[in-house]
Amino acid sequence: MKEEAKTRENERKYYLSEFSYDDGEFEITFNILDVDFLRQTITVVISRCGKITQDTFPLVRDSKGKLYFEYGLFYENKIQLDDFVHIEEK
């Protein structure tokens, strides 16, 4: 029960957080819609070139224990969850 409450609190912590990423050609903005720690997935809204899409990615843990997801044509870009900033903090 205590673990479930902690999981919900972490999910709320990331909800609607934002991260901007420059891929060398365009600036891409990610907004978190959902982080499911049980299924190890993240659902984000992606704004790129005026187009808005939604996608779900698997969450991966690096050697330091930090969570990230891989993005790009060949999933070559690692986007860390710790890099996201809550919209109200901007």
Side-chain angles (χ1 to χ4, degrees):
M1 191 71 148
K2 192 175 188 180
E3 178 118 0
E4 184 179 324
K6 183 179 178 185
T7 300
R8 271 193 242 131
E9 181 181 324
N10 284 338
E11 289 172 356
R12 275 187 247 135
K13 171 184 165 187
Y14 290 110
Y15 180 68
L16 288 183
S17 293
E18 181 176 283
F19 175 70
S20 292
Y21 175 77
D22 187 356
D23 69 351
E25 189 174 355
F26 299 103
E27 185 168 325
I28 304 167
T29 303
F30 298 93
N31 290 90
I32 297 176
L33 282 182
D34 183 46
V35 179
D36 190 337
F37 291 104
L38 298 175
R39 293 186 178 143
Q40 294 291 304
T41 60
I42 183 169
T43 303
V44 292
V45 174
I46 306 164
S47 302
R48 181 178 182 264
C49 303
K51 296 180 182 178
I52 300 173
T53 58
Q54 177 182 322
D55 207 348
T56 301
F57 298 97
L59 282 174
V60 183
R61 197 172 292 275
D62 66 8
S63 61
K64 297 177 184 174
K66 305 271 186 175
L67 289 171
Y68 69 92
F69 64 94
E70 296 172 330
Y71 176 79
L73 186 59
F74 300 106
Y75 299 101
E76 69 276 7
N77 304 311
K78 293 181 180 181
I79 310 295
Q80 298 270 342
L81 258 62
D82 291 342
D83 292 340
F84 281 80
V85 176
H86 200 277
I87 293 173
E88 295 170 355
E89 295 174 7
K90 283 182 102 178

